[in-house]
Amino acid sequence: MEYGLLGLILLIANIYALIQVFGSGASTGEKLVWTLLIWLLPLVGFIVWYFAGPRKSALNI
């Protein structure tokens, strides 16, 4: 049971990360690389994205 709950939490975290990647100001190529990293290596990809991934800019001009 606990593996199912942890898997669901990881899925939600990865979906959140992907939404943030698509909403960032990164280039299309960078978005593609981050998307592949998050989906192919779910736990590692999320952790790497959390610390080094693209962020939304503070100024939306």
Side-chain angles (χ1 to χ4, degrees):
M1 177 73 180
E2 58 273 349
Y3 291 117
L5 181 58
L6 291 176
L8 181 62
I9 292 170
L10 182 59
L11 177 64
I12 292 169
N14 284 336
I15 290 172
Y16 172 76
L18 289 171
I19 291 170
Q20 294 300 311
V21 166
F22 292 135
S24 72
S27 70
T28 303
E30 290 174 342
K31 289 179 183 182
L32 178 63
V33 170
W34 280 111
T35 301
L36 289 174
L37 181 67
I38 292 168
W39 279 111
L40 294 177
L41 302 169
L43 180 60
V44 174
F46 177 77
I47 292 169
V48 172
W49 167 82
Y50 185 80
F51 290 106
R55 304 282 182 230
K56 288 185 178 182
S57 65
L59 299 174
N60 292 327
I61 298 175

